């Protein structure tokens, strides 16, 4: 599952995120054994084992129901049993029978809560005896009251999209979503992760539609009533929450990995870009297979895109379902495939989650943390170490952005609801922990450990302990210390790092203080010491036996820079107390993107008009990695770093010829903030660029310099506008609004859902910039600044864009006051902006 949730990543207070880890804090409860504590979530007891599931289903589009027949083959897990309990949510149950040869023996059953079907068998079956059950039923997904979550916003299992075609903007589709326990809305089963079953599904659908399910399509029969019956067979066992059915008018774009079919099911209008979105899949399959030493384990791999999907994407075995956010047109893809990491994430689940499945939701980490980490692995392989490290940092920041994350265990045996497990701890924190484990063990041992974990537990269920045991078996190292604090503990280190040079003794003391109050973390940390020849010597030290550790390093020549955690993989909050000289050295000597940008962020807080600083700006604007160039431009756009003449000349070239298009867009943004030259012609020319980022930056830049011309030219670029261009067109719409309609404009802005309001905030500031009435200006600007302050990270560049607009508004007033120093309205507006923003 790839969750798309802005909770905790974007907003400080406006969205009600999932509850903190459940449990009471009174002294009596704290002393209870774990299993006796409130909300303890035991692994589901296995009374019966599913062995095979066969379904025969049809679809009633008008009533949005599914008549079905199910044949279930089961065995008692260990103890004899004469009772069978199945999960079956909200169904009409028409018949329950025991299948014996060609005969069916009706069985007594009860269905008191419409959630679980209790069946009385003809006798007590022993552990080696099979029982075959037949159930005739009707699934009623729209009539089931079920709860979703932040990650999975609905849980009714079976979804009819525009079933009778009333909405001309949407296709008619059917798709299913099983995670967490919603397959039992459309299929009687034992809906637990620790069940594994082979499967066969026959779907009868209108002949004009195609179908997709797990496994291979083994039979198609054309019926006389205009329907067709497709049978999909899954010969290898997997968990019920991974069952999938998809039906609709899809173009099937064929691809392959070795001899396996790799298909992309998309709406026909997206057929031409399907490979642009999903085309890296075969390369990913090859990379992951080689990396893990375990070949892709299934008979085929298909990906399908569903409308109105309730999450980001879902790793149904052999048949991943993606939300419509996957769709991008050719212009969007020019700026980079925004869905590529989702494709990698869901594919990696075919090993971690599908081949080996978490035995309970408490151990979701063995599914989601590993899939999250696959995003890093693919970035590293496909785009290089710098891109992977940048991504690692973004993921770490998303975990840190939600304060309640630090109170949750990664392996969590207490939670209010299973849906609460799908959070920044199971995903981003878990992925970062795996990165640290890889660093500690080394690549060979780490990936061989994953290989042993997969091969030992294939087609079975596992928990974090199995992962630990596999890593220990390969490495020969005890890892209880690592898993105890990172998997079965909470939080992360919060450290202050200080440097003390004792020249008389040629000694450097690196002092690492852990500031978190509840416990200490024990871990190795690497330190690179750079001498005057800019060469680094690396050593590893263990810290955490006390709150303050002093690492003593003897030197012959005084170091120019000391790089703690040079690979930038530690999951911690770090206060790095270097002096300016060391920060400058870091910006120039740093080996990776994060070294450079960490130094840049610190230096930008007090940027100095000195040659050394100017040299840093010029160097980073020409860095080989686009992300570093982008970071430099972003700070210039925000006004944190001034643009001197040489840098300005570099940026002018970047605005025309920078190969990375989002970086070129930022260069255009920076030029629009400049007073050194008039770039209006450049902006007008860039409006027709095929990149949405470049065209969008050009339109907003033109709006800053010449709003009338921007409004006049906007209709030329409105068609199919997406991304940055769509955001810039929102600005134009706000510029076109009459200032006399202030009350209505502000009211409409405030009524917007939070995400839409954030996306409209830049436009609101442009509107406010035109207001002369001080009270109106304060209300409009204040509302926009309030939304801006809710942003925790620079999601989609929103934080930078809004900050740049605010600085532009301030600069406009400062410039105007040079001409008209007695203009009290401008003075008051300027004072208000500076007080509200601190800029």
């Amino acid at each position: 599952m790839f969750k798309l949730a802005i909770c905790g990543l974007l907003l400080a207070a406006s969205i009600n995120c999932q509850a903190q880890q459940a449990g009471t804090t009174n002294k009596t409860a704290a002393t209870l054994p774990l299993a006796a504590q409130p909300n303890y979530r035991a692994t589901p007891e296995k009374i019966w084992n599913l062995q095979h599931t066969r379904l025969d289903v049809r679809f009633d589009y008008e009533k949005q129901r599914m008549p079905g027949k199910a044949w279930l083959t089961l065995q008692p897990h260990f103890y004899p049993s004469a009772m069978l309990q199945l999960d079956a949510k909200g169904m009409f149950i028409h018949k329950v029978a025991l299948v014996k040869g060609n005969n069916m023996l009706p069985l007594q059953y009860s269905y008191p809560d419409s959630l679980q079907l209790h069946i009385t068998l003809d006798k007590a079956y022993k552990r080696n005896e099979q029982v075959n059950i037949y159930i005739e039923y009707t699934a009623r997904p729209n009539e089931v009251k079920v709860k979703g979550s932040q990650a999975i916003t609905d849980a009714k299992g079976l979804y009819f999209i525009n079933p009778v075609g009333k909405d001309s903007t949407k296709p008619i589709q059917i798709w299913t979503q099983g995670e967490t326990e919603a397959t039992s809305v459309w299929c009687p089963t034992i809906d637990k992760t620790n069940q594994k079953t082979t499967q066969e599904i026959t779907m009868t659908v209108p002949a004009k539609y195609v179908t997709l399910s797990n496994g291979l399509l083994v039979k198609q029969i054309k019926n006389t009533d205009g329907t067709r019956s497709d049978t999909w067979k899954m010969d290898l066992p997997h968990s019920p929450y991974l069952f999938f059915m998809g039906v609709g008018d899809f173009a099937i774009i064929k691809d392959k990995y070795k001899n396996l079919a790799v298909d992309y099911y998309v709406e026909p209008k997206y057929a031409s870009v399907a490979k642009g979105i999903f085309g890296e899949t075969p390369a990913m399959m090859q990379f992951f297979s080689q990396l893990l030493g375990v070949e892709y384990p299934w008979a085929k791999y298909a990906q399908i895109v569903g409308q109105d999907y309730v999450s980001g994407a879902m790793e149904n075995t052999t048949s991943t379902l993606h939300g419509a956010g996957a769709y991008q047109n050719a212009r969007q893809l020019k700026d980079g495939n925004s869905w590529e990491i989702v494709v990698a994430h869901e594919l990696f689940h075919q090993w971690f989650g599908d081949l080996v499945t978490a035995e309970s939701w408490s151990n979701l980490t063995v599914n989601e943390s590993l899939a999250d980490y696959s995003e890093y692995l693919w970035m590293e392989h496909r785009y290089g170490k710098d891109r992977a490290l940048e991504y690692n940092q973004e993921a770490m920041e998303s975990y840190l952005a939600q304060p309640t994350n630090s109170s949750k265990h990664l392996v969590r045996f207490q939670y209010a609801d299973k849906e609460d497990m799908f959070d920044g701890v199971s995903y981003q924190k878990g992925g970062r922990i795996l990165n640290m484990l890889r660093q500690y063990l080394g690549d060979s041992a780490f990936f061989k450990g994953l290989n042993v974990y997969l091969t030992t537990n294939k087609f079975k269920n596992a928990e974090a302990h199995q992962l630990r045991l596999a890593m220990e078996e390969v490495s020969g190292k005890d890892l209880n210390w690592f898993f105890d604090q990172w998997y079965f503990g909470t939080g992360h280190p919060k450290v202050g790092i200080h440097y003390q040079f004792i020249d008389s003794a040629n000694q450097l003391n690196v002092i690492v203080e852990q500031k978190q109050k509840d416990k200490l973390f024990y871990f190795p940390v690497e330190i690179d010491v750079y001498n005057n020849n800019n060469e680094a010597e690396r050593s590893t030290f263990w810290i955490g036996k006390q709150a303050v550790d002093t690492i003593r390093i003897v030197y012959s020549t005084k170091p120019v820079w000391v790089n703690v955690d040079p690979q930038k993989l530690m999951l911690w909050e770090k206060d790095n107390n270097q002096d300016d000289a060391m920060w400058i050295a870091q910006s120039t000597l740093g080996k990776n993107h994060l070294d450079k940008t960490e130094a840049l962020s610190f230096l930008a807080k007090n940027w100095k008009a000195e040659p050394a600083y100017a040299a840093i700006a010029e160097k980073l604007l020409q860095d080989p990695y686009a992300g570093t160039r982008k970071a430099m431009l972003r700070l210039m756009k925000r006004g944190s770093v001034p643009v001197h003449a040489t840098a300005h000349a570099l940026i002018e070239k970047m605005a025309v010829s920078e190969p990375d298009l989002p970086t070129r867009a930022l260069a255009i943004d920076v030029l629009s903030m400049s007073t050194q030259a008039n770039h209006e012609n450049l902006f007008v020319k860039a409006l027709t660029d095929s990149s949405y980022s470049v065209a969008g930056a050009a339109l907003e830049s033109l709006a800053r310099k010449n709003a009338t011309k921007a409004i006049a030219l906007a209709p030329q670029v409105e068609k199919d506008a997406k991304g940055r261009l769509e955001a810039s067109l929102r600005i134009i719409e706000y510029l076109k609004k009459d200032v006399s309609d202030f009350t209505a404009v502000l009211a409409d802005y405030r009524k917007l859902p939070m995400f839409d309001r954030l996306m409209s905030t830049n436009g609101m500031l442009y509107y406010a910039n035109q207001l002369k009435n001080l009270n109106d200006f304060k209300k409009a600007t204040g509302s926009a600044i309030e939304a801006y302050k809710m942003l925790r990270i620079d999601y989609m560049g929103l934080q930078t864009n809004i900050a740049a607009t605010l600085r532009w508004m301030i600069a406009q007033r400062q410039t105007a006051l040079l001409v008209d120093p007695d203009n009290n309205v401008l003075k008051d507006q300027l004072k208000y902006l500076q007080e509200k923003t601190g800029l």
Side-chain angles (χ1 to χ4, degrees):
M1 170 68 68
F2 190 95
K3 67 187 183 74
L4 292 183
I6 61 174
C7 174
L9 304 185
L10 306 183
L11 310 181
S14 62
I15 295 180
N16 182 23
C17 298
Q18 57 258 39
Q20 295 186 33
Q21 182 177 342
T24 130
T25 58
N26 65 65
K27 292 183 179 179
T28 303
T31 61
L32 290 173
L34 178 62
Q37 291 180 26
N39 287 333
Y40 172 68
R41 304 297 177 178
T43 298
E45 182 180 2
K46 294 179 77 170
I47 300 172
W48 288 87
N49 291 335
L50 276 171
Q51 293 185 314
H52 184 67
T53 300
R54 180 161 73 92
L55 302 175
D56 188 342
V57 303
R58 295 173 176 265
F59 301 98
D60 185 336
Y61 284 80
E62 194 76 38
K63 295 181 179 179
Q64 298 184 49
R65 292 179 174 179
M66 188 192 80
K69 300 174 182 178
W71 292 262
L72 305 180
T73 303
L74 309 98
Q75 272 187 341
H77 180 72
F78 187 84
Y79 301 105
S81 181
M83 293 294 300
L84 173 62
Q85 181 174 291
L86 298 175
D87 298 301
K89 299 184 176 79
M91 301 175 178
F92 287 140
I93 304 296
H94 308 299
K95 183 177 181 179
V96 178
L98 181 69
V99 181
K100 288 203 169 183
N102 294 323
N103 300 317
M104 284 196 183
L105 173 67
L107 294 175
Q108 292 185 340
Y109 66 89
S110 64
Y111 193 37
D113 57 4
S114 294
L115 295 175
Q116 290 181 321
L117 181 62
H118 304 268
I119 302 172
T120 302
L121 301 175
D122 60 327
K123 67 172 187 174
Y125 285 80
K126 297 178 182 178
R127 60 182 297 192
N128 293 321
E129 292 184 288
Q130 278 191 346
V131 58
N132 296 296
I133 302 297
Y134 171 78
I135 303 170
E136 199 169 316
Y137 65 97
T138 299
R140 305 177 300 152
N142 288 354
E143 296 155 71
V144 176
K145 301 300 180 185
V146 283
K147 179 187 175 186
S149 68
Q150 285 291 337
I152 309 165
T153 58
D154 194 278
K156 62 184 182 182
L158 173 65
Y159 296 80
F160 290 81
I161 307 303
N162 192 26
V164 293
K166 288 184 178 179
D167 187 344
S168 60
T169 67
K170 290 181 183 177
I172 298 172
Q173 295 177 349
I174 293 171
W175 46 261
T176 62
Q177 166 58 36
E179 194 172 42
T180 48
E181 295 175 6
T183 294
S184 49
V185 174
W186 57 273
C187 165
T189 188
I190 302 176
D191 209 353
K192 300 292 182 261
T193 65
N194 60 355
Q195 291 288 333
K196 295 269 184 168
T197 174
T198 53
Q199 166 202 320
E200 184 177 327
I201 298 180
T202 298
M203 288 179 273
T204 298
V205 301
K208 62 183 177 180
Y209 294 141
V210 299
T211 67
L212 178 64
S213 188
N214 315 97
L216 295 175
L217 181 62
V218 295
K219 186 189 300 183
Q220 287 189 303
I221 299 174
K222 289 184 178 180
N223 303 313
T224 57
D225 61 355
T227 64
R228 190 186 68 252
S229 297
D230 291 355
T231 299
W232 292 82
K233 191 172 183 182
M234 184 78 181
D235 288 329
L236 297 173
H238 67 145
S239 294
Y241 79 91
L242 297 166
F243 289 9
F244 177 71
M245 298 189 298
V247 182
D249 179 15
F250 292 99
I252 305 174
I253 309 305
K254 300 288 186 180
D255 212 337
K256 68 177 182 177
Y257 166 65
K258 295 186 175 179
N259 293 320
L260 293 182
V262 177
D263 297 332
Y264 316 129
Y265 287 63
V266 297
E267 293 166 35
K269 63 182 178 181
Y270 289 102
S272 63
V273 290
K275 286 195 175 181
I277 300 167
F278 300 111
E280 292 280 11
T281 302
M284 291 177 182
M285 294 171 79
Q286 180 175 358
F287 170 61
F288 290 146
S289 294
Q290 291 175 346
L291 190 71
L292 299 169
V294 177
E295 264 295 343
Y296 175 80
W298 311 106
K300 70 110 178 0
Y301 189 53
Q303 295 172 86
I304 186 170
V305 183
Q307 287 288 343
D308 295 346
Y309 183 48
V310 294
S311 191
M314 180 64 207
E315 65 273 13
N316 311 297
T317 314
T318 77
S319 302
T320 287
L321 171 62
H322 294 273
Y327 284 139
Q328 299 158 81
N329 63 30
R331 289 185 70 182
Q332 287 173 293
L333 290 167
K334 288 201 71 165
D335 286 327
N337 181 1
S338 65
W339 211 253
E340 188 172 344
I341 60 165
V342 186
V343 175
H345 180 113
E346 300 307 332
L347 174 60
F348 210 63
H349 268 310
Q350 300 297 315
W351 287 269
F352 295 95
D354 296 8
L355 180 62
V356 183
T357 309
E359 70 166 13
S360 68
W361 300 117
S362 292
N363 277 277
L364 183 63
T365 178
V366 298
N367 290 9
E368 293 301 349
S369 299
L370 281 148
D372 181 274
Y373 188 48
S374 75
E375 301 164 26
Y376 176 94
L377 294 173
W378 175 249
M379 288 288 176
E380 183 180 45
H381 170 74
R382 180 69 175 82
Y383 301 106
K385 190 71 171 180
D386 277 330
R387 180 65 189 101
L389 285 175
E390 184 178 21
Y391 187 77
N392 193 70
Q393 184 66 23
E394 291 166 356
M396 190 183 305
E397 289 173 357
S398 72
Y399 157 72
L400 295 172
Q402 181 59 27
T404 57
N405 282 340
S406 64
S407 66
K408 301 175 184 177
H409 294 75
L410 181 55
V411 178
R412 207 173 315 160
F413 293 105
Q414 290 173 287
Y415 50 78
D417 189 279
K418 58 189 178 297
E419 310 293 345
D420 297 344
M421 290 297 300
F422 295 81
D423 60 11
V425 178
S426 295
Y427 286 75
Q428 287 83 11
K429 181 181 181 181
R432 312 295 65 75
I433 288 168
L434 287 162
N435 217 354
M436 292 191 298
L437 183 60
R438 174 187 172 189
Q439 179 188 21
Y440 174 66
L441 294 176
D443 280 12
S444 294
F446 177 78
F447 290 114
K448 182 59 178 177
L450 293 182
N451 171 276
V452 169
Y453 169 83
L454 289 171
T455 53
T456 302
N457 301 292
K458 64 181 179 181
F459 308 119
K460 299 178 184 177
N461 299 90
E463 55 182 303
H465 287 301
Q466 267 90 27
L467 182 62
R468 173 181 61 82
L469 291 169
M471 294 295 178
E472 288 183 338
E473 178 182 336
V474 169
S475 69
K477 296 178 181 289
D478 172 73
L479 294 174
N480 280 295
W481 66 271
F482 185 93
F483 278 75
D484 183 58
Q485 63 187 352
W486 290 114
Y487 279 83
F488 300 99
T490 61
H492 54 271
K494 300 177 182 180
V495 302
I497 305 175
H498 301 267
Y499 307 87
Q500 184 181 67
F501 289 92
I502 306 174
D503 293 334
S504 60
N506 282 1
Q507 180 176 304
L508 163 65
N509 293 334
V510 179
I511 303 165
V512 182
E513 177 189 5
Q514 295 196 45
K515 298 180 179 180
Q516 68 279 1
K517 299 185 184 306
D518 54 338
K519 61 183 170 183
L520 295 178
F521 283 81
Y522 183 64
F523 55 91
V525 63
E526 295 177 337
I527 298 180
D528 282 358
V529 179
Y530 283 77
N531 60 29
N532 283 331
N533 294 323
N534 298 336
E535 295 176 351
E537 183 177 337
R538 179 169 297 177
S539 302
T540 301
F541 304 89
W542 284 81
I543 64 174
K545 287 188 175 180
Q546 52 198 3
V548 180
D549 285 284
T550 300
I551 299 166
R552 293 173 175 82
I553 300 171
V554 177
Y555 57 81
S556 55
T557 303
K558 186 175 181 178
V560 296
W561 175 40
V562 179
N563 192 3
V564 179
D565 183 31
Q567 297 191 65
K568 298 294 180 283
L569 298 180
M570 274 302 303
L571 174 59
W572 60 8
E573 293 180 74
K574 178 178 64 173
D575 181 12
N576 196 11
N577 296 281
Q578 297 183 152
D579 60 23
D580 284 6
M582 287 180 69
W583 283 118
I584 291 171
Q586 178 172 335
S587 71
T588 56
L589 300 178
K591 296 289 195 294
N592 60 56
H593 166 73
L594 293 183
D595 281 337
K596 299 165 191 174
T597 54
E598 180 185 63
L600 183 57
S601 296
F602 178 85
L603 293 170
K605 295 174 184 175
N606 187 24
W607 195 266
K608 297 176 182 177
E610 296 177 2
Y613 285 72
I616 291 169
E618 292 169 31
K619 184 175 187 293
L620 297 188
L621 283 172
Q622 300 174 85
D623 192 85
Y625 176 53
T628 306
R629 303 194 297 272
K630 202 179 297 181
M632 186 73 251
L633 288 168
R634 196 175 288 119
L635 286 169
M636 289 175 164
K637 178 178 175 180
R638 294 174 75 116
S640 303
V641 175
V643 181
H644 61 278
T646 306
H648 189 271
L650 290 170
I651 295 167
E652 285 182 319
K653 290 180 182 177
M654 295 174 76
V656 175
S657 57
E658 161 66 44
D660 182 75
L661 296 176
T663 305
R664 187 190 301 180
L666 266 173
I668 291 171
D669 286 330
V670 173
L671 291 183
S672 74
M673 307 292 289
S674 169
T675 58
Q676 296 184 37
N678 187 341
H679 302 94
E680 196 171 306
N681 290 338
L682 185 155
F683 301 152
V684 171
K685 184 177 180 181
L687 267 178
T688 59
D689 195 278
S690 58
S691 159
Y692 282 134
S693 291
V694 172
L699 182 59
E700 183 174 356
S701 295
L702 186 60
R704 286 199 181 106
K705 297 296 185 181
N706 188 336
T708 301
K709 182 177 283 190
I711 292 170
L713 293 177
Q716 299 177 19
V717 297
E718 287 177 344
K719 185 178 179 181
D720 297 326
K722 306 286 185 184
R724 179 71 190 279
L725 182 56
E726 183 180 14
S728 295
L729 285 166
R730 290 194 190 207
I731 291 171
I732 299 302
E733 289 305 308
Y734 272 96
L735 283 172
K736 288 158 62 176
K737 296 180 187 294
D738 198 309
V739 294
S740 64
D741 294 332
F742 163 75
T743 301
V745 171
L746 181 60
D748 289 343
Y749 171 76
R750 287 175 170 171
K751 288 177 187 175
L752 289 172
M754 181 48 64
F755 184 75
D756 290 336
R757 197 187 320 166
L758 284 167
M759 298 301 291
S760 299
T761 292
N762 219 15
M764 190 63 195
L765 286 173
Y766 276 81
Y767 178 77
N769 194 53
Q770 305 174 95
L771 299 172
K772 305 301 181 186
N773 181 282
L774 181 61
N775 286 333
D776 291 351
F777 178 85
K778 286 183 176 181
K779 288 178 183 177
T781 307
S783 292
I785 291 171
E786 180 183 332
Y788 163 66
K789 287 184 175 180
M790 290 178 180
L791 285 162
R792 287 189 176 274
I793 61 176
D794 198 16
Y795 180 75
M796 295 176 63
L798 277 175
Q799 207 176 55
T800 292
N801 286 348
I802 296 168
T805 300
L806 289 165
R807 283 194 177 275
W808 169 69
M809 293 169 69
I810 289 170
Q812 270 197 323
R813 282 151 183 78
Q814 289 171 332
T815 302
L817 284 168
L818 293 175
V819 178
D820 186 8
D822 296 323
N823 189 321
N824 289 327
V825 172
L826 288 175
K827 285 181 181 179
D828 290 340
Q829 288 182 345
L830 177 61
K831 181 181 177 183
Y832 180 78
L833 281 169
Q834 291 176 325
E835 287 178 349
K836 290 288 286 185
T837 63
L839 299 175

